[in-house]
Amino acid sequence: QVQLVESGGGLVQAGGSLRLSCVSSGSTFSFDAMGWYRQAPGKPRDLVATITSGGSTNYADSLKGRFTISRDNTENTVYLQMNSLKPEDTAVYYCNANGFYYRRYNYWGQGTQVTVSS
């Protein structure tokens, strides 16, 4: 069974940076798409960014200038570089792997907490 494990979350002051990593195991093929989603208390889970195996990216409009997603297809690993962090970025960040071409699947990690202080 595929497993996704996030790391890199923590406490940071406003204006600081964090780099999240998501490492997969149990898969012998490259995921069609990987991405990051986040959920703040009392809020729905929202898209942060996604990236396909070919490198095509998609961002939430409000985050496009501050966050950057990248991936290593060989390792099925995805990263999220977060700069100029704001208190409203505080949330649990979840890693996702999605398939839609030859295979259909949707995997989620357990999440990593990001807290941005004023």
Side-chain angles (χ1 to χ4, degrees), residues 39-70:
Q39 187 169 24
K43 303 290 185 179
R45 185 175 298 186
D46 289 332
L47 166 74
V48 175
T50 60
I51 183 168
T52 68
S53 60
S56 179
T57 59
N58 182 54
Y59 294 89
D61 289 340
S62 62
L63 305 177
K64 194 172 184 178
R66 297 186 294 118
F67 290 11
T68 303
I69 190 170
S70 61

Side-chain angles (χ1 to χ4, degrees), residues 16-21 36 48 59 63 66-70 78-85:
S17 298
L18 285 174
R19 186 172 187 259
L20 306 184
S21 299
W36 292 93
V48 175
Y59 294 89
L63 305 177
R66 297 186 294 118
F67 290 11
T68 303
I69 190 170
S70 61
V78 65
Y79 307 94
L80 184 69
Q81 179 66 47
M82 305 186 294
N83 298 325
S84 301
L85 284 163

Side-chain angles (χ1 to χ4, degrees), residues 2 24 26-34 51-54 71-77 97-103 105 107:
V2 170
S24 68
S27 177
T28 59
F29 57 90
S30 297
F31 300 123
D32 293 336
M34 299 187 74
I51 183 168
T52 68
S53 60
R71 67 182 289 173
D72 183 337
N73 289 337
T74 301
E75 299 180 355
N76 272 338
T77 301
N98 179 254
F100 47 82
Y101 191 49
Y102 288 115
R103 297 181 175 90
Y105 49 83
Y107 303 115

